[in-house]
Amino acid sequence: MNKNSGKKKLFVISGSSGVGKGTVLKSFLTKNPNFMLSISCTTRAPRKGEVDGVNYFFLSKDEFQNCIDNDKFLEWAEFAGNRYGTKKKYIKQCLEEGKDIILEIDTQGALQVKKQMPEAVLIFICPPSLETLENRLRGRHTEDEATIQKRMQEVKTELERAEKFDYKVINDDLANAVAELEKVIIGEQKC
């Protein structure tokens, strides 16, 4: 990819749980190291081995609330009692430093980003089918039946939100999905 081509962009990657977006993204970044993966803020405590400013920016609940109150987030959400968000200043600084940046967040957050940054490119990683996704979730053997059913309901909501995305990439085969993601991003870089 041409590192010097035009204005740098923010690419937002979303997808349902179990769709393999993390695997697709990791493979893409391995092949395209000139892209930067955004670092989110969180109120949750660091897990063993996590480093502030590398894995997340760890904030206290008061610090996070202060950022909300002062409109410092491009997007934010709460999951399982912890808050997660992306600072506007961080994204702006990365783009000004000439870096294409990728933000991996949920569909709701992606749509928040699009409202504030209409130039952001939203890409949704889709399962080949709902049945395939359900089989993948079951194959993990990490969740009970009620959790799987809840996730499948969430998937339907996310697929509705995905209709507002710029692109959809189907993850039926990892190599094909990575190639399609590259095609989308290269095409957008030329714009």
Side-chain angles (χ1 to χ4, degrees):
M1 285 189 195
N2 183 356
K3 293 179 188 179
N4 301 321
S5 60
K7 187 178 177 193
K8 298 304 176 183
K9 293 190 178 189
L10 172 62
F11 296 91
V12 181
I13 308 288
S14 292
S16 305
S17 178
V19 78
K21 68 184 170 294
T23 304
V24 170
L25 190 51
K26 185 178 178 182
S27 295
F28 172 83
L29 291 169
T30 298
K31 291 177 71 177
N32 300 280
N34 51 315
F35 281 83
M36 184 176 166
L37 186 61
S38 177
I39 302 169
S40 297
C41 299
T42 185
T43 57
R44 79 160 170 74
R47 294 182 183 135
K48 187 177 180 179
E50 288 184 330
V51 178
D52 185 54
V54 175
N55 303 97
Y56 285 97
F57 295 113
F58 295 98
L59 304 178
S60 69
K61 289 182 180 184
D62 288 343
E63 288 171 322
F64 200 99
Q65 187 61 50
N66 184 46
C67 289
I68 293 169
D69 294 344
N70 290 292
D71 195 31
K72 292 188 177 186
F73 286 120
L74 192 53
E75 60 82 30
W76 71 273
E78 189 167 333
F79 298 104
N82 293 306
R83 290 178 169 180
Y84 298 83
T86 306
K87 282 193 174 182
K88 292 177 188 178
K89 184 178 178 180
Y90 173 76
I91 297 295
K92 184 178 178 185
Q93 182 180 347
C94 291
L95 293 171
E96 286 173 355
E97 289 173 2
K99 299 172 185 166
D100 283 303
I101 189 160
I102 295 177
L103 176 58
E104 181 187 356
I105 54 174
D106 73 339
T107 54
Q108 197 169 354
L111 295 176
Q112 287 178 36
V113 170
K114 193 71 165 177
K115 279 185 183 173
Q116 293 199 48
M117 285 184 73
E119 69 277 17
V121 179
L122 274 52
I123 304 166
F124 188 79
I125 308 295
C126 302
S129 68
L130 288 176
E131 181 182 353
T132 301
L133 181 59
E134 187 171 347
N135 290 339
R136 286 179 186 172
L137 289 173
R138 289 184 187 290
R140 289 177 169 182
H141 303 292
T142 57
E143 297 163 332
D144 62 24
E145 184 62 26
T147 304
I148 289 172
Q149 291 306 317
K150 183 179 177 193
R151 286 203 184 274
M152 291 307 294
Q153 278 304 118
E154 290 171 8
V155 167
K156 291 175 183 166
T157 301
E158 289 169 338
L159 288 170
E160 288 173 16
R161 288 185 190 132
E163 292 302 315
K164 297 177 182 170
F165 277 51
D166 301 303
Y167 299 94
K168 292 179 190 152
V169 171
I170 297 173
N171 186 16
D172 56 348
D173 171 85
L174 180 60
N176 289 343
V178 172
E180 187 63 25
L181 183 59
E182 284 181 319
K183 183 177 159 188
V184 166
I185 290 176
I186 290 168
E188 278 292 330
Q189 284 183 313
K190 292 178 181 175
C191 293

